[in-house]
Amino acid sequence: MNASPSHRPHPAEWTETQSLLPSAERDLPEGRHEFHKEQMMARIHEDLRTSSRTSSRTSATSPVAPVKRSNPFLRRTILLPAAALALAGAVVGGLALTDGGTQDDTTALATGPALTTRIGTADAKGAPQLLDRISLAAADTSEPTPHKGQYIYIASKVADTYVKTVGGKSEAVSSELHFRQVWNSLDGRDGWLIEAGETSDKGITLKSNVPFSGAYNALAGLPTDPAALLRKIYQESDAVRDPEVPRDQAAFVAIGDLLFESYPPAEVGAALYKAAAKIPGVVAVDDAVDATGRHGVAIARESDGERTEWIFDKKTLRFLGERVVVVKAKAGDLLKVGTVTHTSAITERAVVDANKQLPGQVS
């Protein structure tokens, strides 16, 4: 599998719900903005209530509270359209600032100008050939196979851009590029997350009775036939996506989620890329830059004026990271063409012997 090189010590389910803090309102039918906002806010308030209840139950014995696990296919771009996210995003920021949890002077909430980039050239005809080469690289079996009792460790750097509204004034802002580390057990029932500005320095537990669907064991059980795998991905995303989110985009994002903070067996990783080649609208991009500044080629798909790009090393075709870039301007949209709404880079991916253990440490 084409894992990233080991450099520095970054995911758990929060990536599925925070990767894209999006653009200004899109044109939705009358009443749909409020409908989606209420849906998102209901989820937010339930998360806060769950966290509060769990904290009161565990404070005497544990410094952190468990986090509810979720399906890796449930990413915000699947659940809700961009307009609803724009509305909810501003309120999420307000809740984060007033909830009294880990948000303090170390917060990663946006305070700086919007991230921007040069937009690479897209080539639809080149996508199948590039994905075929990436699939061959992913089929490399030299990576260690995890064994029972071990954990998958992934470190990354991430940042987001979104529309922030204060006192009736809106502006596009970006969060500080920050560090993220995640551990997941092979069965997906245990793990740990440390994310600068989002958790305490000690992190939060990912222990749950509901297994994480993106865990190694779950991925190992996925079909390795690309057509069968794509059918399953469509089935999973169809069950949860908002009808206003295009079906093909939901499937593309779902595959991206499985690639970023996971450790699929080589044959599954190869099948995921071959499955992506079957999704209409997928293109190759000649140049893209990850969150740490590494240039690469990309596999991408555009939806609603934004292009989601999976970035790969130009020589080794190793997966480097992901970004989402505004590629089409819309009237009244504060996120201009070239704005990077999300950027991420894998800095380390490894198998370790214990939860919270860093690569190279003796257990």
Side-chain angles (χ1 to χ4, degrees):
M1 110 184 217
N2 53 353
S4 302
S6 295
H7 293 308
R8 297 179 294 279
H10 143 48
E13 284 64 48
W14 281 11
T15 293
E16 302 153 17
T17 56
Q18 73 184 24
S19 300
L20 302 179
L21 288 175
S23 56
E25 296 186 10
R26 311 295 184 191
D27 293 329
L28 294 181
E30 185 177 358
R32 291 294 283 172
H33 288 111
E34 188 63 29
F35 169 75
H36 290 305
K37 179 180 177 181
E38 290 174 358
Q39 280 193 319
M40 177 63 80
M41 291 310 302
R43 291 190 183 97
I44 293 167
H45 285 298
E46 178 57 32
D47 287 345
L48 292 178
R49 286 196 298 269
T50 300
S51 177
S52 176
R53 289 196 300 267
T54 310
S55 295
S56 63
R57 290 197 305 268
T58 61
S59 59
T61 57
S62 173
V64 293
V67 169
K68 181 181 178 182
R69 288 188 177 273
S70 57
N71 191 311
F73 293 123
L74 304 187
R75 191 167 178 175
R76 245 188 329 216
T77 48
I78 296 175
L79 287 172
L80 296 173
L85 296 178
L87 287 168
V91 186
V92 171
L95 287 172
L97 287 170
T98 60
D99 183 43
T102 60
Q103 303 297 339
D104 51 24
D105 58 348
T106 64
T107 182
L109 290 178
T111 56
L115 298 169
T116 59
T117 188
R118 185 189 76 83
I119 300 174
T121 302
D123 176 17
K125 293 182 179 180
Q129 182 180 9
L130 178 57
L131 277 165
D132 187 57
R133 292 170 53 212
I134 292 170
S135 177
L136 289 174
D140 176 16
T141 57
S142 63
E143 296 294 326
T145 299
H147 300 288
K148 185 177 180 180
Q150 291 185 311
Y151 285 73
I152 304 303
Y153 169 81
I154 298 175
S156 66
K157 286 191 172 183
V158 299
D160 298 285
T161 300
Y162 60 95
V163 174
K164 177 181 179 182
T165 301
V166 177
K169 181 181 178 181
S170 298
E171 62 177 334
V173 293
S174 294
S175 62
E176 181 181 351
L177 182 66
H178 58 278
F179 197 52
R180 180 176 168 94
Q181 295 170 282
V182 66
W183 291 260
N184 268 305
S185 61
L186 303 189
D187 65 2
R189 294 180 180 273
D190 193 20
W192 199 260
L193 170 67
I194 301 175
E195 182 168 0
E198 303 294 342
T199 71
S200 68
D201 292 341
K202 294 181 179 179
I204 58 175
T205 181
L206 299 178
K207 192 176 185 66
S208 174
N209 292 327
V210 180
F212 168 40
S213 301
Y216 180 85
N217 289 352
L219 294 175
L222 289 176
T224 55
D225 174 72
L229 178 57
L230 186 58
R231 283 195 299 271
K232 181 174 179 60
I233 289 171
Y234 273 119
Q235 180 182 7
E236 293 282 353
S237 61
D238 283 347
V240 299
R241 69 180 175 88
D242 187 282
E244 293 170 30
V245 176
R247 187 171 188 252
D248 293 330
Q249 181 66 9
F252 184 80
V253 170
I255 293 176
D257 286 347
L258 293 181
L259 294 171
F260 185 73
E261 291 187 324
S262 67
Y263 192 92
E267 61 274 18
V268 174
L272 285 168
Y273 292 117
K274 290 182 178 180
K278 298 178 179 294
I279 299 176
V282 173
V283 300
V285 177
D286 65 341
D287 184 63
V289 185
D290 73 7
T292 62
R294 297 176 297 192
H295 283 257
V297 292
I299 290 296
R301 193 178 189 283
E302 179 187 333
S303 180
D304 198 25
E306 294 187 343
R307 192 166 73 191
T308 301
E309 301 177 342
W310 307 337
I311 305 170
F312 303 85
D313 183 275
K314 291 183 178 181
K315 292 183 178 180
T316 66
L317 298 178
R318 181 178 57 245
F319 181 77
L320 299 178
E322 180 187 49
R323 73 177 184 179
V324 181
V325 183
V326 177
V327 293
K328 288 184 180 178
K330 293 195 175 184
D333 199 333
L334 294 178
L335 300 183
K336 306 302 181 183
V337 171
T339 299
V340 180
T341 61
H342 171 74
T343 182
S344 59
I346 296 289
T347 57
E348 190 164 11
R349 196 190 303 254
V351 178
V352 295
D353 292 329
N355 200 8
K356 296 186 280 184
Q357 181 185 36
L358 294 174
Q361 282 186 337
V362 178
S363 57

